[in-house]
Amino acid sequence: MKAFVKIIIIILIAAFAGIQFIKVDRKNPMVKADLKAPQEVKNILKESCYDCHSNETKWPWYSYVAPFSLLIEKDVKEGRRELNFSEWETYDYQKKAFLKKEIWEEIENDEMPKSVYTLTRPNAKLDFVKKNIIKKWAVGY
Ligand code: HEC
């Protein structure tokens, strides 16, 4: 092997080892005021959205391995900031209505759950029936 290839491999291994030391926050804050919705709606949201949009995130084993840990941490942080079902019942009427409109749009446009996520969680993908259940719930305000 050429010397520079070896050097590049050594650098990559060192970088991979090095990023393992970056601290990742995998804490799940307390559930304050979880969404109240019909069971069939909740089941779908729990299966497809709660890992990023609630304080009940299930952290898979690869969430302990950088760089995946860093990407997942970022998604969860941003996801919770936009929409946190564990705080849903603290939102006022306007915020709920706004978020339901957003949820409807995200589902209509196939933007949620994120495709990187469903790559490893085929069960989280929404089929036609599930989409309609969520969309029907989302227009009910
Ligand atoms: C892998 C993590 C992940 C999953 C799973 C996920 N989301 Fe998101 N969601 C995000 C992130 C990150 C953002 C903020 C950045 C963005 O809009 O892409 C977001 C933003 C949103 C927004 C706000 C959109 C906007 O325009 O700001 C809505 C609404 C939403 N998600 C709904 C859902 C619903 C409904 C589900 C389940 C069907 C879901 N998400 C599943 C990560 C996720």
Side-chain angles (χ1 to χ4, degrees):
M1 220 187 306
K2 287 223 169 68
F4 79 88
V5 176
K6 280 189 193 155
I7 290 170
I8 287 171
I9 289 172
I10 289 169
I11 289 172
L12 285 177
I13 292 172
F16 178 77
I19 56 172
Q20 304 307 322
F21 290 100
I22 301 173
K23 249 190 109 196
V24 175
D25 182 9
R26 276 175 299 258
K27 262 200 299 302
N28 282 350
M30 251 179 42
V31 175
K32 281 194 222 150
D34 194 39
L35 166 79
K36 293 199 185 81
Q39 200 57 47
E40 62 170 2
V41 172
K42 283 213 65 165
N43 289 346
I44 297 168
L45 296 177
K46 283 211 165 184
E47 171 114 64
S48 300
C49 320
Y50 264 53
D51 275 343
C52 301
H53 291 292
S54 87
N55 297 344
E56 299 181 64
T57 309
K58 292 192 210 79
W59 301 91
W61 65 266
Y62 46 86
S63 74
Y64 289 82
V65 184
F68 309 107
S69 51
L70 302 164
L71 298 170
I72 294 170
E73 180 193 38
K74 185 167 172 285
D75 269 353
V76 173
K77 204 190 264 172
E78 284 179 11
R80 283 176 182 162
R81 197 167 47 213
E82 294 276 334
L83 160 67
N84 188 338
F85 288 117
S86 298
E87 297 175 2
W88 182 270
E89 299 303 335
T90 67
Y91 298 161
D92 62 18
Y93 175 84
Q94 267 182 324
K95 184 158 183 184
K96 283 181 185 166
F98 169 76
L99 284 173
K100 280 189 164 185
K101 194 176 117 291
E102 299 269 305
I103 290 169
W104 192 95
E105 282 172 9
E106 296 289 316
I107 299 220
E108 168 73 11
N109 298 327
D110 274 331
E111 280 166 17
M112 290 286 157
K114 292 182 132 222
S115 45
V116 282
Y117 178 77
T118 51
L119 219 57
T120 53
R121 310 269 203 322
N123 290 344
K125 263 196 210 131
L126 298 176
D127 60 19
F128 182 76
V129 175
K130 287 180 174 176
K131 278 187 193 171
N132 275 341
I133 291 172
I134 300 304
K135 280 160 82 181
K136 229 176 98 188
W137 167 75
V139 288
Y141 250 92

